Amino acid sequence: MKYQTEILTIGYDTIIKAAELLKKGEVVAIPTETVYGLAASALSDRAIKKIFTAKGRPSDNPLIVHIYSIDQVGLLAKNISKKAKILMETFWPGPLTLVMTKKKQVSSVVTANLDTVAVRMPSHPVAFSILEQCNIPLAAPSANISGKPSPTSAQQVYEDMLGKIPAIVDGGTCEIGLESTVIDVSVDPPCILRPGAVTKKMLEDAIGEVADDNSILEPLKEGELAKSPGVKHKHYAPNAEIQIVKGVEVSISRYINRQILNDNVNGVRSVVLCCQEQAKNYPFDKIILGSKYHPETIAENLFNALREIDKKNYDKAYVQYLGTEGINTAIMNRLLKAANHNVIEVG
Ligand code: TXA
Ligand code: MG
């Protein structure tokens, strides 16, 4: 182990210490309102490479640069459209990442050689204080081992990053629980590359027509180029196999219960991920996601649930298709990737 990883609790000293480490070119995990991020100076290639190493992230997957003031955008991006400016004013600070044409001085290690850069201003007060204190833009992907569900607590970061980074700032659990919405504003109409808590409707209310990238709810087709490189890599996946079940409610629960029973007879340990309103339909092992009437509770808990599947050593998990209304697009995007698009339609 390279580092003695410390969990730092919130306090003035912690903010100062985190900022000092970051200025020295170290990697520090920080809380944001979406998920925990693995931050390092976006101005230092040496520091950024440490992020890729700690995560085991493929170097062709670019990072999001985090800022605390709209004034910093001008240092990173050029040809900033009117629509991009409206989105910044409407949703920043908050869970929205804008992909813009990059300025020459932005490191190609951050952008994985693309000519665009992704920028976000987080609203979490701790992330904000650290950004302000160190006064450098911070590249920060989600703080998980590449391919695993993103961490939404300091403890989960610790499980993935023990020995790999010097410090984790503990800001409690993340309010939103899913990564930011990523929208490419270097094209017109702007195009959603990754859905999140800022929904398509919210974006369209602000700037009019917005497109969706094909990859949001569909697997990439053979030979299709990913607009957002992250899309083509395995993601959010527990070790267990996941199957998404579509159909009418009663057929779904009958199918899942039958499968769980059969699996167990065959020595396969399986579980259902369900909403609290459906729990009564599932007499066997279950993990509750949240309330279907309050999908933000499902978003908040989704990555915990995916991590719990592995913690409890299940081989297989079934989950009911949740539709794509509002934030459910973001939830289904993560679940479909976790399931490697294994979807079955019943009755
Ligand atoms: O909520 C979030 O966005 C969190 C927190 C820590 O801020 N960060 C995060 O970063 O989720 P990461 O690296 O796990 O996801 C970044 C996504 C990837 O899918 C990546 O491919 C995409 O953004 N991305 C980054 N730069 C891009 C670019 N220039 N063009 C297209 N996609 C880009
Ligand atoms: Mg990630």
Side-chain angles (χ1 to χ4, degrees), residues 269-286:
R269 297 190 61 238
S270 38
V271 62
V272 58
L273 308 191
C274 65
C275 300
Q276 71 200 40
E277 292 83 3
Q278 299 152 347
K280 61 180 185 316
N281 301 332
Y282 295 105
F284 310 120
D285 288 14
K286 57 192 144 191

Side-chain angles (χ1 to χ4, degrees), residues 244-246 252 273-275 278 289 291-292 295 298-299 302 319-325 327-329 331-332 335:
I244 294 168
V245 189
K246 243 179 166 170
I252 293 177
L273 308 191
C274 65
C275 300
Q278 299 152 347
L289 288 169
S291 165
K292 70 173 177 182
I298 299 177
L302 183 66
V319 52
Q320 189 160 335
Y321 180 77
L322 297 167
T324 55
E325 183 69 26
I327 198 171
N328 287 28
T329 305
I331 295 170
M332 283 317 303
L335 276 172

Side-chain angles (χ1 to χ4, degrees), residues 93-120:
L96 181 69
T97 296
L98 302 183
V99 172
M100 296 171 280
T101 309
K102 87 173 187 84
K103 277 206 165 154
K104 178 158 94 265
Q105 58 264 38
V106 178
S107 161
S108 58
V109 184
V110 174
T111 64
N113 288 316
L114 296 176
D115 55 11
T116 51
V117 60
V119 184
R120 163 164 127 79

Side-chain angles (χ1 to χ4, degrees), residues 248-262:
V248 284
E249 191 127 347
V250 59
S251 310
I252 293 177
S253 57
R254 283 183 186 162
Y255 168 83
I256 292 178
N257 286 331
R258 200 182 318 121
Q259 290 294 116
I260 293 185
L261 208 57
N262 280 344

Side-chain angles (χ1 to χ4, degrees), residues 147 215-221 230-245 306 309 316-317 319 331-344:
S215 66
I216 287 181
L217 298 169
E218 300 289 332
L220 275 183
K221 296 188 185 60
V231 164
K232 66 174 184 281
H233 297 292
K234 180 170 173 254
H235 221 153
Y236 313 117
N239 298 324
E241 179 189 340
I242 297 191
Q243 183 171 62
I244 294 168
V245 189
L306 292 178
I309 297 172
K316 200 157 179 194
V319 52
I331 295 170
M332 283 317 303
N333 165 268
R334 305 319 189 265
L335 276 172
L336 283 161
K337 288 191 197 310
N340 203 10
H341 296 272
N342 173 3
V343 182
I344 186 169

Side-chain angles (χ1 to χ4, degrees), residues 31-242:
T32 85
E33 70 280 18
T34 56
V35 298
Y36 273 73
L38 213 51
S41 167
L43 307 179
S44 158
D45 282 357
R46 200 175 52 87
I48 299 154
K49 283 180 184 158
K50 289 184 189 169
I51 298 180
F52 283 93
T53 307
K55 272 183 74 84
R57 182 173 175 115
S59 61
D60 64 352
N61 193 0
L63 307 178
I64 296 173
V65 179
H66 296 67
I67 54 170
Y68 69 90
S69 154
I70 288 188
D71 295 340
Q72 292 173 290
V73 177
L75 304 171
L76 304 165
K78 62 181 184 186
N79 309 333
I80 301 162
S81 66
K82 178 95 200 305
K83 288 178 186 174
K85 286 185 188 143
I86 296 173
L87 293 178
M88 291 174 203
E89 276 153 24
T90 312
F91 297 105
W92 280 1
L96 181 69
T97 296
L98 302 183
V99 172
M100 296 171 280
T101 309
K102 87 173 187 84
K103 277 206 165 154
K104 178 158 94 265
Q105 58 264 38
V106 178
S107 161
S108 58
V109 184
V110 174
T111 64
N113 288 316
L114 296 176
D115 55 11
T116 51
V117 60
V119 184
R120 163 164 127 79
M121 188 194 291
S123 66
H124 196 292
V126 174
F128 199 86
S129 298
I130 292 171
L131 279 161
E132 198 175 32
Q133 180 66 30
C134 66
N135 199 25
I136 34 181
L138 297 177
S142 49
N144 50 288
I145 292 171
S146 196
K148 292 283 154 199
S150 302
T152 55
S153 69
Q155 186 54 40
Q156 289 173 356
V157 179
Y158 190 77
E159 286 162 13
D160 280 14
M161 290 298 144
L162 178 63
K164 298 176 186 162
I165 58 171
I168 300 165
V169 178
D170 187 352
T173 55
C174 302
E175 195 186 330
I176 294 173
L178 296 180
E179 308 88 343
S180 62
T181 305
V182 178
I183 184 167
D184 184 351
V185 286
S186 72
V187 293
D188 199 56
C191 180
I192 300 174
L193 302 179
R194 178 176 73 184
V198 175
T199 62
K200 184 173 187 181
K201 163 126 196 356
M202 290 159 76
L203 293 163
E204 289 194 323
D205 285 347
I207 55 166
E209 189 193 352
V210 164
D212 280 311
D213 190 50
N214 294 337
S215 66
I216 287 181
L217 298 169
E218 300 289 332
L220 275 183
K221 296 188 185 60
E222 195 65 34
E224 189 179 356
L225 209 65
K227 282 205 198 109
S228 186
V231 164
K232 66 174 184 281
H233 297 292
K234 180 170 173 254
H235 221 153
Y236 313 117
N239 298 324
E241 179 189 340
I242 297 191

